[in-house]
Amino acid sequence: MQTTAAPVTALIEELAKLPGIGPKTAQRLTFFILRSPADQARRLAEAITRVKESIIQCSVCFNITEADPCPICANAERDHTLICVVEEPLDVLALEKTGVFKGVYHVLHGALSPVEGIGPRDLRIDELVARVRASAEAGEPVREIILATNPNYEGDYTAAYIAPLITLPNAKVTRLARGLPLGGDLEYADEGTLSRALEGRREM
Amino acid sequence: MQTTAAPVTALIEELAKLPGIGPKTAQRLTFFILRSPADQARRLAEAITRVKESIIQCSVCFNITEADPCPICANAERDHTLICVVEEPLDVLALEKTGVFKGVYHVLHGALSPVEGIGPRDLRIDELVARVRASAEAGEPVREIILATNPNYEGDYTAAYIAPLITLPNAKVTRLARGLPLGGDLEYADEGTLSRALEGRREM
């Protein structure tokens, strides 16, 4: 016999579909939502609905946005000849938080992964190549393309795949620096990070 | 300048209000929801709304339910003279999953905690005492009350507070057994658990 109310079981099941949320956490969250003020739960439900209804991809950089082109691509004060290529919209969020980067982005929506069967056609690579070519034709050629894919196997492979496709004569293709993270501890750094930090050492 | 779409930031903020979900997890969940099929997100939003709209407390046992009385209290096949007193609706869920308990419940909605300022008036203790008394007046007196509050300081204190309030002459007041958890390892058991397991040892 069903002794738990159906809406409760339904919410537990839906929450358990989210990544990193197991059945026990889903239960805890459900009972938290049950106990929280009605308008907090309403705001959460509405936020989920709104994000699905109003978010599209920018036709220029493929970042997620409400308006097309996105606020970054539409901003004339940003340097449109400097393109930072990232795997995911989350990476744009992280880079924007630094406040250091004044160029524009290109979101690939993933990284090449032969293991997972993700090939060049699954990513926005053709669009990047076309965008760079079009910038030259429009008389404002891209100066630099930062391949800011993740510092792991897939990210490196993706960067290595993209680099030779950028055939603009004067465009630099760069990759983010590798080294010790800020606040890191030499003693605990892995060998790969440490050898990259040695290779990339700079004069003080 | 705001470079992340407002609905995205809104959802990240709402998710980060949930217990155990920090800003990074909230970001990951938001982007997962963005990428998931529209009807999965819709089902999640609807489940949240429905759980708030349709869930009430049973007027007999104070468990959460869609109908009053709840399916357990309304079920004539359950033993209404055996009441299991628990802290939270989640505990009912856990006990029901065992399939062993055939009595009814009483949900206190918390435990006494002088530290957090939770006193007897904040819990459904008066309602429990009245319910037990009413059972005798109705000619079907409660036989046993299992005080299944948590095996920690607050739970023990709550059980010790409630026990003397049950003044029905023939009603037993019991507490769940303490001992080693199933699949547990003697070597790793804490002293408290081990001494309770010794005290409560049973003949084979």
Side-chain angles (χ1 to χ4, degrees):
Chain A
M1 212 199 80
Q2 176 70 30
T3 54
T4 310
V8 175
T9 342
L11 182 53
I12 293 175
E13 277 169 19
E14 290 304 326
L15 287 170
K17 288 179 190 165
L18 297 175
I21 297 193
K24 282 278 171 190
T25 308
Q27 278 184 18
R28 272 199 309 116
L29 292 176
T30 297
F31 284 87
F32 177 86
I33 289 167
L34 263 171
R35 239 184 303 237
S36 63
D39 72 310
Q40 186 183 334
R42 190 181 38 73
R43 277 202 306 273
L44 175 58
E46 281 174 6
I48 294 168
T49 311
R50 212 167 55 242
V51 98
K52 292 301 281 189
E53 281 169 358
S54 64
I55 297 296
I56 51 171
Q57 281 185 14
C58 173
S59 60
V60 181
C61 73
F62 301 99
N63 191 12
I64 52 167
T65 172
E66 273 185 293
D68 186 20
C70 74
I72 298 177
C73 288
N75 186 348
E77 286 174 26
R78 309 231 12 169
D79 183 351
H80 289 255
T81 65
L82 173 61
I83 299 180
C84 182
V85 179
V86 295
E87 292 181 19
E88 300 291 348
L90 268 179
D91 303 328
V92 174
L93 209 67
L95 284 160
E96 282 298 294
K97 274 187 187 156
T98 67
V100 168
F101 183 69
K102 299 297 176 202
V104 292
Y105 295 93
H106 192 92
V107 182
L108 297 173
H109 288 276
L112 294 175
S113 170
V115 177
E116 292 177 47
I118 300 171
R121 299 268 160 254
D122 301 312
L123 308 179
R124 299 294 190 173
I125 294 177
D126 287 348
E127 287 86 347
L128 173 65
V129 174
R131 184 180 169 188
V132 172
R133 195 181 300 129
S135 76
E137 284 159 13
E140 203 185 23
V142 169
R143 287 182 301 116
E144 182 175 349
I145 291 140
I146 307 173
L147 296 174
T149 50
N150 286 330
N152 54 24
Y153 177 76
E154 284 83 7
D156 285 343
Y157 179 51
T158 308
Y161 178 89
I162 294 174
L165 301 178
I166 309 294
T167 50
L168 219 56
N170 297 315
K172 269 198 296 186
V173 178
T174 58
R175 193 109 173 75
L176 292 183
R178 310 290 182 91
L180 296 168
L182 216 69
D185 196 323
L186 215 83
E187 187 180 345
Y188 297 117
D190 65 287
E191 293 152 36
T193 300
L194 211 50
S195 54
R196 294 301 188 103
L198 269 170
E199 279 165 32
R201 68 188 180 278
R202 292 166 64 172
E203 208 166 322
M204 286 183 65
Chain B
M1 212 201 80
Q2 176 69 29
T3 54
T4 310
V8 175
T9 345
L11 182 53
I12 293 174
E13 277 169 19
E14 291 304 325
L15 287 169
K17 288 179 189 164
L18 298 175
I21 297 193
K24 284 277 171 189
T25 309
Q27 278 183 18
R28 271 200 310 116
L29 292 177
T30 298
F31 284 86
F32 176 86
I33 289 167
L34 263 172
R35 238 183 303 235
S36 62
D39 73 308
Q40 186 182 335
R42 189 180 41 72
R43 276 201 306 273
L44 175 58
E46 281 174 6
I48 294 169
T49 311
R50 211 166 56 240
V51 99
K52 291 301 281 189
E53 280 169 359
S54 64
I55 296 295
I56 52 171
Q57 282 184 15
C58 172
S59 61
V60 181
C61 73
F62 301 98
N63 191 11
I64 52 167
T65 173
E66 272 186 293
D68 186 19
C70 73
I72 298 177
C73 288
N75 186 349
E77 286 173 26
R78 309 231 14 166
D79 183 351
H80 290 256
T81 66
L82 173 61
I83 299 180
C84 182
V85 179
V86 295
E87 292 181 18
E88 300 292 347
L90 267 180
D91 303 329
V92 175
L93 208 68
L95 285 160
E96 282 297 296
K97 275 189 187 155
T98 68
V100 168
F101 184 68
K102 299 296 176 203
V104 293
Y105 295 93
H106 191 92
V107 183
L108 297 173
H109 288 276
L112 294 174
S113 170
V115 178
E116 293 177 45
I118 300 172
R121 300 269 159 256
D122 301 311
L123 308 179
R124 300 293 191 176
I125 294 177
D126 287 348
E127 288 84 347
L128 173 66
V129 174
R131 182 180 170 188
V132 172
R133 195 180 302 129
S135 76
E137 284 159 12
E140 201 185 25
V142 169
R143 288 181 301 114
E144 181 175 349
I145 292 141
I146 307 173
L147 296 173
T149 50
N150 286 331
N152 55 24
Y153 177 76
E154 284 83 6
D156 285 344
Y157 179 51
T158 308
Y161 178 89
I162 294 174
L165 300 177
I166 309 293
T167 50
L168 221 55
N170 296 315
K172 267 198 296 185
V173 177
T174 58
R175 192 109 174 76
L176 292 183
R178 310 291 182 91
L180 297 170
L182 217 69
D185 196 323
L186 216 83
E187 186 180 345
Y188 297 117
D190 64 289
E191 292 151 36
T193 300
L194 211 50
S195 56
R196 294 301 189 105
L198 269 170
E199 277 167 35
R201 66 189 181 279
R202 293 166 63 173
E203 208 167 324
M204 286 184 66

